[in-house]
Amino acid sequence: MANLNEKLETHECDVIVIGAGGAGLRAAIEAAERGQKVAVVCKSLLGKAHTVMAEGGIAAAMGNVDPADNWQTHFKDTVKGAKYMNHWRMAQLHAQEAPDRIRELERWGAVFDRTPDGKILQRPFGGHTYRRLCHVGDRTGLEIIRTLQDKVVHTPGVEVFMECTISHLLKDGDRVCGALGYWRENGSFVLFKAKAIVLATGGIGKSFKITSNSWEYTGDGHVLAYDAGAELIDMEFVQFHPTGMVWPPGVAGLLVTEAVRGEGGILTNSQGERFMSKYDPERMELSTRDIVAKSIYQEVKEGRGSPHGGVFLDISHRGAEYIKKKLPSMYHQFKELADVDITKGPMEVGPTVHYVMGGVKVDPETCQSNVPGLFAAGEVAGGMHGANRLGGNSLSDLLVFGRRAGLGASDYVKGLSNQPKVDDTDVEKAIQEMLAPLDRSEGETPYEVHRDLQRVMQTEVGIVRTEEDLKKALTDLKEIQARAEKVKADGLRQYNPGWHLAKDIKTMAKVSEAIARCALQREESRGGHTRLDFPEYSNHWSKHNSIIRKESDGSMTVSTAPLPEMPPELKKLFEEEKH
Amino acid sequence: MAEALLKVYRGDEKTGKLVDYKIPVEAGMVVLDAVHYIQGYYSPDLAVRWNCKAAKCGSCSAEVNGKPSLMCKTRLDDFDLSQPIEVRPIKTFPLIKDLVTDVSWNYEVNKTIAPFKPKTENTDEWKVYQEDVDRVQEFRKCIECFLCQDVCHVLRNHDKKDLVNKKDLFAGPRFMVRLAGLEMHPMDVANRIPYIKNEAGVGYCNITKCCTEVCPEEIHITDNAIIPLKERVVDEYYDPILKMWRAITGKS
């Protein structure tokens, strides 16, 4: 245990923000502007977080292109897209506050595409009644993250710790009191003492084989929260984005933005049939993601797929100049990686794991979890998107709830009467756990275990599920968890991805178990959760969220909680429509 | 199945060397796939930075057969596979390990640039026309891969990176692009011209256009960002008529 004698680098702050995507950066700005000393801790370099990959746009009822749009319609679209499973209050706050967050971005230097009369341009997207997505070609996420990055750099009170991974949250009694991490560069440990923590760690896609997500999406925040005693909700709802690349193999899963369909892209099967007319004749290609993904799955399963197991998506009728202006990165992506010129012919696309709707259960107003001082915003938080997220609602979610989490954390810190204290033995235990894979003389590499985990999740907890598969997945996951405890990390602590993965694989296996347990419990099909053995909506399940909790003996249990009921004035919005 | 021989730089600045790896080649495979294959099957501790694997984040910069490239969009089948493919870290910044370099200098430079300053703080939406932001949007495509910084001889060979004394510093093509994006923003009112001349060292660029050639976003760095900034500096500092006017009136 000689390593424990090293001097531990320690930082003290008011709020730790874990993750530097849209939600984390927005939370940091808010908390710092309210006088808190903030540490932003992120696994990658600043500006490389997953937000950078968002393409199509950010949804907000600005009404710039369709003046009839308003927050009520955005709210309704969101709730319907979510198959009525979201927390109504989150959907309401999101729809009400998104336009302000966009105007704020503009004042911070963001440069959106414009309408002919000089306003922010908005494009159509799946499930949105009106043209609602503010965008910059197909690189909206880059614009947002760069704007926030430059804002954070010039916000006094924020310090950014890049390429630093948080491995453990620390508690003093019920409350959070800090976090332990390691520098990726040299493998040395670093302790952050804090009064509040905002999780903004994104999603879980790396548990699956075919995913649009980067290496960072290992479910860190979900599992840090779970281990700290926070409840997770609705983990069965995993969004398969309908259009990922399917060929060549190295890029399988890479995202093809929904903006292709927003700009008029047409989906056809091998028989040249525009098949969405069978599944959603009204909205066609602009149906919600869950429906389009399942339709593609069905077409391929019934033998009408493209040569590489997808379907065709064609935008070439819009003309080369328009495509290069509005979808430049898609044009380059296909040209350079697949030898396909999308201005001349169709792309081959198929479903890819993209987003997790489930996450840390939070209070809508403050984003606080059931653990005092622990907040969550963005993809790691649950409740906002219910059973299926609409495209464009994620970027707006990041800003609306990033800001609210920063505000909530700030208020929480101001209300504390005494400073929580870090217990040294917790820190020592965490460090020992981290070093164990390096000390082992034999064992599998974490990459082997990761490959098997991805296979299990892809085939047994994938786009369609059955009781039999899910039970098998839980058995397989137990075995993978046991293997993950015994992996060996070769090499030293300096920038060692194998060692990093040794911790990540445990996290992924745990979050995968949460997904499988919720999926087994929910005996119905809804949004991003499809059961072949229960293909319909169920009345019972329409009123219940799934809850994952860590019990005192360390085991994971799944239960339910009643879905919060919408107040009458919001319910009325849906009734008015029927008449 | 076809095979490729990769020679990958392993180790630190002092002891590092090229190590051979044989990789089975699948259709459409890129260099980053090959590097991941090495991690997954031969050397789990091979250090590499990457995120999106879709040329959107600019993390996986390296020098492939001597050319500064994003590994995620450099295809193996573009090479003659009977010859080895050499993968080295970018040279202009200090090596940490294997393919990972310390690019923190760039983040420090960014902090010295005056942020966006809007001419109005009003909260209404602004009226800004597409033709007024077209130029700026080109600059904002930058994904901060720092390949332009890597290839720029002012930084690579002459090491004009002294941030401590801010003497003889060249901020590099990336930050000329950033500065151009701010200076040409129709709503921005900050004046960065003295900074561009004195601290960012725009005069060091002698327009060899190497940066433009390696930019994965195809930003016309030299023509559209650096040269216009040079012109603005000239207008401000070296215009003979303006100089005379200032001498006479004492006004700036």
Side-chain angles (χ1 to χ4, degrees):
Chain A
M1 289 287 77
N3 288 313
L4 293 186
N5 297 328
E6 68 188 64
K7 195 171 177 304
L8 186 61
E9 177 185 341
T10 304
H11 299 271
E12 292 198 29
C13 59
D14 297 312
V15 181
I16 314 171
V17 176
I18 306 174
L25 293 178
R26 189 63 191 81
I29 292 165
E30 193 66 23
E33 286 186 341
R34 289 169 188 276
Q36 306 307 319
K37 188 178 172 207
V38 181
V40 175
V41 189
C42 55
K43 295 203 283 187
S44 287
L45 296 172
L46 191 55
K48 311 296 185 191
H50 225 281
T51 303
V52 83
M53 294 173 69
E55 295 168 349
I58 172 164
M62 321 268 293
N64 290 352
V65 182
D66 292 315
D69 202 7
N70 53 30
W71 77 259
Q72 288 90 343
T73 314
H74 191 182
F75 167 75
K76 277 195 296 184
D77 288 346
T78 300
V79 172
K80 284 194 267 180
K83 313 298 179 255
Y84 300 87
M85 280 310 290
N86 32 15
H87 194 306
W88 61 269
R89 181 62 178 155
M90 291 182 89
Q92 182 188 26
L93 288 170
H94 168 258
Q96 287 173 332
E97 294 177 3
D100 281 346
R101 297 285 77 74
I102 294 197
R103 284 189 273 268
E104 173 181 84
L105 275 186
E106 194 172 48
R107 294 197 297 283
W108 293 347
V111 184
F112 290 99
D113 287 354
R114 317 303 297 185
T115 65
D117 58 346
K119 296 178 183 170
I120 293 174
L121 181 60
Q122 300 187 275
R123 66 161 45 122
F125 236 58
H128 291 281
T129 302
Y130 297 109
R131 286 172 284 184
R132 190 177 281 146
L133 267 74
C134 308
H135 62 276
V136 188
D138 56 3
R139 52 164 197 86
T140 313
L142 173 66
E143 187 65 29
I144 289 177
I145 203 153
R146 201 65 82 232
T147 303
L148 292 171
Q149 179 183 341
D150 288 323
K151 176 75 181 167
V152 150
V153 164
H154 294 287
T155 301
V158 183
E159 192 175 351
V160 181
F161 297 78
M162 300 197 292
E163 297 200 310
C164 186
T165 305
I166 295 294
S167 61
H168 295 79
L169 299 188
L170 303 165
K171 283 170 73 181
D172 176 4
D174 287 340
R175 307 179 292 173
V176 297
C177 63
L180 180 78
Y182 62 86
W183 290 107
R184 299 177 75 79
E185 176 175 337
N186 57 21
S188 64
F189 294 101
V190 49
L191 175 64
F192 296 90
K193 293 182 176 172
K195 297 165 190 156
I197 296 174
V198 177
L199 297 170
T201 52
I204 55 92
K206 269 298 162 193
S207 293
F208 292 81
K209 187 163 188 285
I210 304 293
T211 176
S212 63
N213 293 167
S214 85
W215 68 269
E216 294 197 288
Y217 267 32
T218 48
D220 293 14
H222 291 83
V223 172
L224 288 171
Y226 164 82
D227 280 335
E231 290 178 345
L232 307 180
I233 65 164
D234 294 346
M235 292 302 292
E236 66 274 37
F237 296 123
V238 175
Q239 180 165 77
F240 286 76
H241 194 292
T243 60
M245 290 176 81
V246 295
W247 183 262
V251 297
L254 211 68
L255 188 65
V256 178
T257 173
E258 186 169 329
V260 175
R261 283 173 287 136
E263 296 291 345
I266 286 165
L267 287 166
T268 54
N269 59 24
S270 62
Q271 295 165 5
E273 182 191 6
R274 198 170 164 189
F275 58 84
M276 282 310 296
S277 62
K278 291 184 292 194
Y279 303 97
D280 190 347
E282 205 170 302
R283 294 183 295 186
M284 298 292 281
E285 281 83 3
L286 289 182
S287 182
T288 51
R289 288 178 174 174
D290 53 335
I291 293 171
V292 181
K294 275 183 272 188
S295 306
I296 294 174
Y297 172 84
Q298 197 66 20
E299 289 298 305
V300 175
K301 199 177 138 204
E302 290 171 12
R304 293 184 296 275
S306 65
H308 299 109
V311 294
F312 298 107
L313 174 62
D314 195 358
I315 185 74
S316 61
H317 56 278
R318 295 303 306 255
E321 200 185 323
Y322 186 82
I323 294 168
K324 286 182 198 170
K325 169 85 188 156
K326 296 305 280 186
L327 303 163
S329 55
M330 283 306 104
Y331 172 74
H332 287 289
Q333 188 171 310
F334 274 90
K335 186 113 184 143
E336 283 154 21
L337 299 177
D339 299 321
V340 168
D341 183 346
I342 66 168
T343 68
K344 296 204 171 85
M347 309 157 229
E348 269 186 83
V349 296
T352 179
V353 170
H354 184 57
Y355 189 87
V356 62
M357 275 70 75
V360 180
K361 187 167 182 284
V362 291
D363 167 59
E365 315 290 333
T366 63
C367 300
Q368 188 165 210
S369 70
N370 58 296
V371 176
L374 182 62
F375 297 75
E379 190 170 349
V380 67
M384 166 61 212
H385 304 287
N388 173 62
R389 175 175 69 79
L390 295 185
N393 270 1
S394 178
L395 290 178
S396 39
D397 167 11
L398 303 183
L399 299 177
V400 167
F401 292 104
R403 176 184 157 275
R404 282 187 165 271
L407 178 59
S410 176
D411 286 348
Y412 169 84
V413 170
K414 285 176 188 168
L416 279 184
S417 53
N418 60 347
Q419 167 117 16
K421 287 209 165 41
V422 172
D423 183 340
D424 288 344
T425 55
D426 291 342
V427 175
E428 274 178 36
K429 235 173 83 186
I431 291 178
Q432 278 175 25
E433 184 202 328
M434 289 304 296
L435 291 176
L438 287 163
D439 293 338
R440 287 186 193 116
S441 54
E442 55 185 33
E444 296 179 279
T445 82
Y447 288 92
E448 286 178 69
V449 183
H450 189 201
R451 282 192 289 271
D452 285 342
L453 170 70
Q454 289 185 322
R455 187 184 42 74
V456 166
M457 291 303 284
Q458 192 75 33
T459 55
E460 293 163 10
V461 197
I463 189 164
V464 293
R465 302 159 175 173
T466 62
E467 180 181 336
E468 193 190 341
D469 281 350
L470 291 167
K471 282 186 170 160
K472 179 159 187 316
L474 284 169
T475 314
D476 292 345
L477 286 171
K478 274 273 162 282
E479 191 195 313
I480 282 169
Q481 285 168 351
R483 284 166 63 194
E485 293 295 332
K486 289 183 288 193
V487 293
K488 170 178 182 289
D490 281 330
L492 305 168
R493 278 158 68 181
Q494 283 75 18
Y495 218 115
N496 184 343
W499 178 47
H500 304 160
L501 188 61
K503 167 69 179 170
D504 295 343
I505 183 74
K506 289 199 278 189
T507 305
M508 284 186 272
K510 209 176 275 182
V511 83
S512 296
E513 182 186 343
I515 295 168
R517 282 195 187 280
C518 289
L520 181 62
Q521 178 186 241
R522 182 173 290 274
E523 296 186 330
E524 67 160 354
S525 292
R526 183 183 296 270
H529 169 69
T530 303
R531 289 280 298 262
L532 281 180
D533 41 356
F534 297 95
E536 307 293 332
Y537 284 142
S538 121
N539 205 18
H540 167 77
W541 283 108
S542 72
K543 296 186 187 72
H544 290 89
N545 292 114
S546 313
I547 301 286
I548 288 282
R549 202 179 285 121
K550 186 175 188 171
E551 301 300 330
S552 50
D553 65 356
S555 66
M556 183 185 286
T557 57
V558 61
S559 59
T560 62
L563 183 77
E565 198 174 341
M566 214 181 271
E569 68 270 20
L570 290 178
K571 263 190 192 160
K572 232 173 74 191
L573 293 173
F574 296 87
E575 283 155 18
E576 279 165 5
E577 197 171 66
K578 285 178 192 153
H579 301 298
Chain B
M1 189 178 258
E3 254 189 6
L5 177 63
L6 260 74
K7 289 180 169 295
V8 180
Y9 190 90
R10 298 296 314 271
D12 59 23
E13 225 147 58
K14 288 191 196 107
T15 62
K17 58 180 192 299
L18 291 172
V19 177
D20 290 358
Y21 297 98
K22 275 192 182 142
I23 310 292
V25 178
E26 275 187 322
M29 202 167 178
V30 293
V31 172
L32 185 58
D33 291 323
V35 168
H36 285 161
Y37 190 90
I38 296 168
Q39 283 184 328
Y41 294 94
Y42 303 133
S43 296
D45 62 339
L46 167 59
V48 61
R49 263 196 199 105
W50 70 286
N51 282 70
C52 74
K53 212 178 161 297
K56 289 184 173 64
C57 75
S59 299
C60 62
S61 302
E63 298 188 5
V64 183
N65 281 356
K67 190 181 175 206
S69 317
L70 290 180
M71 287 186 278
C72 70
K73 59 184 277 192
T74 305
R75 283 171 58 160
L76 291 183
D77 54 14
D78 285 344
F79 297 99
D80 171 7
L81 292 183
S82 68
Q83 301 296 315
I85 299 168
E86 219 177 86
V87 188
R88 290 175 179 271
I90 54 175
K91 190 185 163 221
T92 297
F93 299 102
L95 183 64
I96 293 174
K97 185 190 148 195
D98 303 338
L99 299 175
V100 176
T101 50
D102 177 1
V103 292
S104 57
W105 180 82
N106 294 286
Y107 291 87
E108 293 306 314
V109 172
N110 190 39
K111 286 181 191 166
T112 67
I113 296 175
F116 178 69
K117 188 178 173 197
K119 65 173 102 167
T120 162
E121 276 294 334
N122 81 24
T123 53
D124 300 339
E125 205 183 323
W126 296 338
K127 277 250 184 284
V128 176
Y129 296 93
Q130 187 61 44
E131 51 270 34
D132 298 328
V133 294
D134 274 337
R135 309 198 272 189
V136 176
Q137 285 188 329
E138 182 193 3
F139 305 135
R140 296 187 67 88
K141 287 197 308 188
C142 172
I143 57 174
E144 296 200 325
C145 63
F146 305 128
L147 289 176
C148 58
Q149 307 287 76
D150 180 46
V151 81
C152 174
H153 65 98
V154 182
L155 299 175
R156 189 180 178 102
N157 305 116
H158 303 288
D159 201 29
K160 298 289 185 192
K161 299 204 275 287
D162 184 359
L163 261 172
V164 181
N165 302 310
K166 299 229 173 86
K167 226 181 110 208
D168 279 358
L169 180 100
F170 182 48
R174 158 56 190 140
F175 295 105
M176 293 301 146
V177 166
R178 165 123 185 87
L179 285 159
L182 288 163
E183 285 293 295
M184 298 181 200
H185 193 299
M187 298 299 281
D188 178 79
V189 290
N191 176 17
R192 301 173 190 83
I193 298 299
Y195 169 87
I196 290 167
K197 174 180 178 283
N198 300 323
E199 287 173 64
V202 72
Y204 276 114
C205 168
N206 55 354
I207 321 190
T208 53
K209 300 199 181 183
C210 308
C211 51
T212 305
E213 266 172 47
V214 299
C215 177
E217 287 292 318
E218 297 177 1
I219 300 169
H220 296 89
I221 301 174
T222 318
D223 289 347
N224 292 354
I226 300 181
I227 292 175
L229 290 181
K230 279 176 178 282
E231 286 168 353
R232 287 176 186 217
V233 168
V234 168
D235 286 349
E236 179 79 18
Y237 286 93
Y238 304 108
D239 183 323
I241 298 170
L242 210 64
K243 212 171 179 178
M244 207 181 295
W245 169 257
R246 283 177 186 146
I248 296 165
T249 64
K251 290 177 186 165
S252 60

